[in-house]
Amino acid sequence: MTITKESTGRTNVTGQPDAFIRNHQYNFIKEQALNLVTAHAMANDAEVLSVLRHLSHEKVFALFPALTEEQKQILRPLTSVKDTDDAEGFLAGLRPHLIPFRAVTNDSLKRLFPKVKRLKGPNVPSIDFYSLSYLAWQENTNRFLVAERNGRLQAVSGQFGASRKQGICMICHKHGTVGLFTAKTKAGADNYIKHGQYICADESLCNSRLTSLERLEQFLDRLER
């Protein structure tokens, strides 16, 4: 197992002052929009729908501790979502305001994993950084993960089992096809502890379903001990 941290050395994540929504927040908002679509398809009670719209509005606004009035205006159309077309239009309006994951290169990734010889790295030009809360890729039996925390890149690696089963992912906490990620952490001068955690077999799917960073951070913290 490898775990390293590297400063991102930046003050502005995107260079775009109107970008304020991270991937996990976008996924949460999308979830709320689709819940409203389902509610309108199944419920006829105007009062019930009004309450659901209000709750969705409150949950989304609670994601952001200090919204500007302009940002509130961008999010408010959520309460008008009634069908799939409304949801798609609303979500399309959010995409220009997404904050991408920290851009990386193969050279910068090699610096994050200094003990790994012949690290190939992912196909960086094909990565949609706007759809990532963490970056992950597979090389042989090893899985590599990179996440940004407090302005720094944190990297971990470990064995990822070839067997697949249905279960709960420790990162996105959604049910699906998972594999066993196993890594060793130092517990003393010459002692190591092996940690095994089930995570999504498909890291892209995991990123698309992640609505909170809490369990991702817990996953990383456990490997840092």
Side-chain angles (χ1 to χ4, degrees), residues 18-38:
D18 56 346
F20 68 101
I21 304 171
R22 296 189 178 277
N23 174 65
H24 70 283
Q25 295 168 324
Y26 175 81
N27 293 338
F28 183 88
I29 296 168
K30 180 179 179 180
E31 191 176 83
Q32 294 303 309
L34 295 179
N35 286 345
L36 288 177
V37 171
T38 301

Side-chain angles (χ1 to χ4, degrees), residues 6 31 79 114 145 167 170 184 204:
E6 178 180 280
E31 191 176 83
T79 58
L145 292 92
M170 292 300 295
K184 293 180 180 178
S204 296

Side-chain angles (χ1 to χ4, degrees), residues 85-106:
D85 288 342
D86 290 341
E88 290 178 353
F90 167 64
L91 294 171
L94 298 184
R95 291 186 186 111
H97 307 284
L98 296 181
I99 298 173
F101 185 83
R102 169 75 175 179
V104 295
T105 64
N106 282 324

Side-chain angles (χ1 to χ4, degrees), residues 29 61 64 67 71-78 90 94:
I29 296 168
F61 274 46
F64 307 93
L67 284 170
Q71 291 167 346
K72 291 177 182 179
Q73 291 296 334
I74 292 167
L75 296 172
R76 281 197 179 106
L78 170 65
F90 167 64
L94 298 184

Side-chain angles (χ1 to χ4, degrees), residues 3 18 30 54 59 68-69 75 79 94 104 119 123 126 135-136 150 166 168 182 184 189 195 198 210 216 219 222-223:
I3 178 164
D18 56 346
K30 180 179 179 180
H54 178 73
K59 288 177 182 178
T68 65
E69 188 55 40
L75 296 172
T79 58
L94 298 184
V104 295
L119 182 76
N123 183 9
S126 69
L135 172 64
N150 301 317
Q166 294 295 302
I168 300 295
T182 306
K184 293 180 180 178
H195 294 284
Y198 284 99
L210 198 153
L216 172 61
F219 173 84
R222 188 177 184 193
L223 296 178

Side-chain angles (χ1 to χ4, degrees), residues 194-214:
K194 183 177 287 189
H195 294 284
Q197 303 182 72
Y198 284 99
I199 62 174
C200 283
D202 184 341
E203 63 272 10
S204 296
L205 179 62
C206 187
N207 268 289
S208 72
R209 303 194 301 183
L210 198 153
T211 57
S212 168
L213 297 182
E214 180 181 358

